[in-house]
C-alpha cells in the first residue's frame, strides 16, 4: 500500500535545523496492523502526516499503491486521501462551529452520497464509539476523551481501506480504550490496513508489527 | 486548602440535562498529593475547573483557604488563582501567536516581577521539562508531547503553592512521563499541594490518595 523511499523532513531553527525525519525507508503492506512507537518529539506524527500526504517531504518519495504522490497535483492528492484514508489526528482537529453530528459526517459531505445515507452513517459511527446521544452538541461541550472518540467516528464514516490514527487512545480510560481497540481489531479482521501511533504498551502489543522511531530514524 | 460543599454542575441537553457533577463533597488538605481517576466523560475536568475557580458550579460552594470564592468578584478570583494556583489544561491552551518562551512566561507577565527575572525563570522552567532550545519556536512547531511539556513549564513558573494538572502525561512516552513525575515528586517533597487527573495507573499510584469519579459522583 505504502512505500517511503529515502524520505527526510527538515525544519529551519535559528541558525541550525530540526531533522524531524532523516532518510526514512518504510513499506506498509495491504491488511497489515502496525504500531509506531517512540519518544516525544521523535518524528511519529511527522511520519504519519507524510504517509497520509498531509505534508510533503523535504526530500525522498512517497508511493501509494505504487503511484508517486508528489507527481500528483494537490487537489488530486486530496481526492485520493478522502476516498481511501481515514485519519485520526493527535489534536483531533474537530471544527468548533459544526455539531458533533456534522463533524462526523464531514468526509462524506463532498461526495455524491445521498443526505439520508450520510445521516444514517453518522449516527451509526457515533453509536460505535459510545456517543449516540451527543450528536446535537458542539465539540466544545464534550470532554477530552469524548472529542477523541468523535474524531475516530469521523475517520471511519467513509469506510476507508486504510486507517492512520495518531495516539487514538491518548485521552481515554482503560474501558473506552478497550472499546476502541476492539473496533480496530474488527476493522483489521475485515481486511483493512491500520497504522497507529501510540506510547501505550498494551495498544502497541495489539498490532502485529512495531515500528520504532528515534530522532527521525525508523528501525 | 480546598473544600467543595454539595457542588453540582448541570448543562442543558435537548429536553434533558447532562449532570457533569452531582452533589459533590470534597476536601483537599495542604501538602496532599491526590490523583483523580474515572472514565471518559465522568466529570474529572469539570471538577478541576471548579476547584481552580475557572468555572462556577450550578449549585453548592467552593471554599479556598476557608474563603467562599463565589462571594468574590471574578477579577479578584483571577488574582488569587494567578498568584496561588498553577493549572495544566487537558488541551494545553497555549497561545498560538506567542513564542514558546512567551507562553511559558505568561503567568508572570502581569506581575511586578522585573523582565530580566521573568526571562531567567522561563528559561529555567523550559530546561526543567527538556525543551531549553525551543524557546523561539511557536507552539504550532512543536509535537503534541512537547506542547504538553510547555504547558507544564508555564504552570510552574510562578512557583504556585497548588498545582492542578489535567492528564499531564497523556501525550508523553514513558521516559518523558517519568521526567514529569519526578518533577512533581520534588514539588510535593517541597511542601506543595498537587492534584492530578490521570487514566494512567502508574501515575495514579504515585499519588498518596486516589479520588474516583463516576457519572459526576465522587468516592
Ligand atoms: N459545555 C458543556 N455543555 C454540555 N455538556 C458538557 C459541557 N462541558 C462538559 N460537558 C459534559 O460533562 C460531562 C463531564 O465532562 P468532563 O470534561 O468533566 O469529563 P472528563 O471526566 O474530564 O472526561 P475525559 O476523560 O474524556 O477528559 C461530559 O459528559 C461532557 O460531555
Ligand atoms: N513546523 C515545525 N517547525 C519546526 N519543527 C517542527 C515542526 N513540526 C514538527 N517539528 C519538530 O519535529 C520533531 C518531530 O515532531 P513530531 O510531531 O513528529 O513528534 P512526535 O514523535 O509525534 O512527538 P509526540 O509524541 O510528542 O507527539 C519535533 O522535534 C518537533 O518539534
Ligand atoms: Mg505526535
Ligand atoms: Mg477531561
Amino acid at each position: 500500500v505504502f512505500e517511503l523511499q529515502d524520505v527526510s523532513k527538515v525544519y529551519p531553527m535559528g541558525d541550525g535545523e530540526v531533522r524531524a525525519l532523516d532518510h526514512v525507508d518504510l513499506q506498509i503492506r495491504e491488511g497489515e496492523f502496525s504500531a509506531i512507537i517512540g519518544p516525544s518529539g521523535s518524528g511519529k506524527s511527522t511520519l504519519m502526516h507524510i504517509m497520509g500526504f498531509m505534508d510533503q517531504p523535504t526530500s525522498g518519495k512517497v508511493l501509494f499503491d505504487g503511484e508517486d504522490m508528489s507527481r500528483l497535483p494537490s487537489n488530486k492528492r486530496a481526492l485520493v486521501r478522502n476516498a481511501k484514508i481515514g485519519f485520526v489526528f493527535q489534536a483531533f482537529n474537530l471544527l468548533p462551529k459544526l455539531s458533533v453530528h456534522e463533524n462526523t459526517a464531514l468526509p462524506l459531505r463532498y461526495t455524491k452520497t445521498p443526505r439520508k445515507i450520510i445521516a444514517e452513517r453518522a449516527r451509526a459511527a457515533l453509536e460505535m464509539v459510545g456517543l449516540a446521544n451527543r450528536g446535537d452538541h458542539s465539540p466544545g461541550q464534550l470532554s477530552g476523551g469524548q472529542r477523541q472518540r468523535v474524531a475516530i467516528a469521523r475517520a471511519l464514516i467513509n469506510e476507508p481501506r486504510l486507517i492512520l490514527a495518531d495516539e487514538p487512545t491518548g485521552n481515554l480510560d482503560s474501558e473506552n480504550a478497550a472499546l476502541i481497540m476492539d473496533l480496530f481489531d474488527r476493522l483489521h479482521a475485515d481486511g483493512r490496513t491500520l497504522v497507529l501511533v501510540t506510547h501505550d504498551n498494551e495498544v502497541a502489543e495489539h498490532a502485529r508489527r512495531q515500528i520504532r522511531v528515534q530522532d527521525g530514524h525508523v528501525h
Side-chain angles (χ1 to χ4, degrees), chain A:
Chain A
V1 182
F2 270 133
E3 186 165 352
L4 270 67
Q5 298 174 340
D6 192 29
V7 163
S8 293
K9 181 75 179 173
V10 184
Y11 297 103
M13 176 167 99
D15 50 0
E17 63 183 17
V18 177
R19 299 189 70 79
L21 293 177
D22 200 6
H23 300 292
V24 170
D25 291 300
L26 182 65
Q27 283 93 12
I28 301 276
R29 262 171 280 290
E30 186 83 28
E32 216 177 78
F33 190 165
S34 329
I36 298 177
I37 50 186
S40 167
S42 56
K44 301 181 299 294
S45 293
T46 306
L47 183 57
M48 291 282 268
H49 291 161
I50 293 200
M51 277 165 70
F53 8 111
M54 310 266 174
D55 217 351
Q56 293 288 61
T58 313
S59 62
K61 275 210 187 111
V62 176
L63 306 181
F64 183 70
D65 287 340
E67 205 177 352
D68 180 351
M69 296 313 287
S70 59
R71 288 191 180 284
L72 287 189
S74 80
N75 61 341
K76 271 258 184 306
R77 276 202 302 267
L79 277 178
V80 172
R81 187 172 61 228
N82 216 25
K84 299 200 166 147
I85 299 179
F87 202 98
V88 181
F89 295 90
Q90 185 171 5
F92 316 153
N93 295 5
L94 299 176
L95 302 181
K97 297 224 180 356
L98 296 186
S99 75
V100 163
H101 183 88
E102 288 163 345
N103 265 286
T104 307
L106 204 59
L108 287 179
R109 196 155 150 176
Y110 304 109
T111 63
K112 297 194 184 30
T113 317
R115 252 184 194 300
K116 218 164 116 44
I117 302 288
I118 295 180
E120 261 162 45
R121 281 228 187 133
R123 253 200 307 283
L126 285 171
E127 180 106 30
M128 246 175 5
V129 297
L131 286 171
N133 61 341
R134 301 301 294 266
D136 296 335
H137 273 126
S138 77
Q141 297 178 295
L142 297 185
S143 78
Q146 290 169 336
R147 276 181 233 155
Q148 186 156 49
R149 287 185 273 155
V150 174
I152 292 167
R154 176 180 65 181
L156 301 179
I157 189 154
N158 56 352
E159 301 179 357
R161 252 181 50 218
L162 180 80
I163 294 154
L164 301 177
D166 197 343
E167 312 231 17
T169 63
N171 278 283
L172 300 179
D173 56 284
S174 45
E175 261 167 67
N176 278 301
L179 171 92
I180 296 300
M181 291 316 293
D182 283 348
L183 191 59
F184 286 145
D185 281 341
R186 267 181 286 148
L187 292 165
H188 179 237
D190 211 14
R192 291 171 217 274
T193 309
L194 281 112
V195 182
L196 307 184
V197 169
T198 184
H199 48 76
D200 180 338
N201 290 334
E202 276 177 39
V203 172
E205 272 145 27
H206 252 272
R208 310 290 176 274
R209 178 184 171 197
Q210 276 80 23
I211 300 166
R212 197 161 246 301
V213 179
Q214 183 91 28
D215 299 328
H217 298 285
V218 171
H219 309 301

